[in-house]
Amino acid sequence: MAPHDDSPDLGELFHAAFRGLRRTWAEQLAPWELTPHQWRALMTLMRHRPEASPCDVRLKDLAERLRIAPRSATEVVDQLETKGLVRRDPDPTDRRATLIVPTEAGLELYNSIRIERRDKSNEYFARLGDEDRAELARILDQLRG
């Protein structure tokens, strides 16, 4: 019989901490009537753009980046388009493809939410001392890949 291991399960601890942070993020999206799936799609569009201008992303590439089925990506884009946050443009290099482009309203909303989320994250991690936050950042950066 193997000896009992009393060390903490780091995966479980990490997951529990992340659930707490994710719960606050979901609450933050409510005033903007945005779901976590819609936010992820908008965030993915913004992360894959040059600094100066939005990067047009094909619908199939967005689905791949979100790791969801193309039909699910279509539904999320439909919802974002209804809210005026993205638009569909024809791909000038492939007439069969559609590009998803953030609108000015989408860019503004993304920036507002990103700032508020950063503030909430800072508030969440404020229970840690400066040294602990720096150490956690160092460790998470190593785990990032």
Side-chain angles (χ1 to χ4, degrees):
M1 189 158 157
H4 181 68
D5 184 3
D6 286 333
S7 62
D9 181 335
L10 294 177
E12 287 296 320
L13 289 172
F14 183 82
H15 190 68
F18 181 71
R19 275 194 316 261
L21 186 57
R22 192 173 65 191
R23 205 175 14 255
T24 65
W25 288 341
E27 291 167 4
Q28 283 179 285
L29 295 174
W32 287 287
E33 298 179 354
L34 212 60
T35 68
H37 294 295
Q38 293 166 356
W39 169 249
R40 271 188 64 222
L42 189 60
M43 188 172 53
T44 299
L45 287 171
M46 298 301 165
R47 284 186 176 164
H48 293 91
R49 69 185 189 96
E51 286 303 311
S53 64
C55 178
D56 306 336
V57 176
R58 288 183 179 181
L59 186 61
K60 72 177 187 77
D61 295 331
L62 179 63
E64 189 175 292
R65 290 176 186 161
L66 293 172
R67 294 187 173 121
I68 60 175
R71 184 164 54 177
S72 297
T74 298
E75 290 174 17
V76 171
V77 170
D78 286 346
Q79 295 162 356
L80 291 172
E81 191 174 34
T82 298
K83 294 173 189 252
L85 303 176
V86 301
R87 70 174 188 273
R88 288 176 166 95
D89 287 347
D91 185 338
T93 63
D94 181 352
R95 63 188 177 112
R96 297 167 297 168
T98 300
L99 298 174
I100 309 306
V101 181
T103 63
E104 190 61 39
L107 292 167
E108 290 174 16
L109 182 68
Y110 169 77
N111 286 325
S112 295
I113 293 173
R114 189 174 53 83
I115 290 167
E116 186 168 323
R117 282 184 73 160
R118 185 180 51 228
D119 291 347
K120 275 291 188 198
S121 292
N122 289 339
E123 184 181 306
Y124 180 81
F125 289 108
R127 61 185 101 175
L128 300 176
D130 290 342
E131 287 180 25
D132 287 340
R133 279 197 311 274
E135 182 67 4
L136 179 60
R138 184 191 67 75
I139 291 168
L140 292 175
D141 189 50
Q142 281 184 326
L143 294 175
R144 186 167 44 170

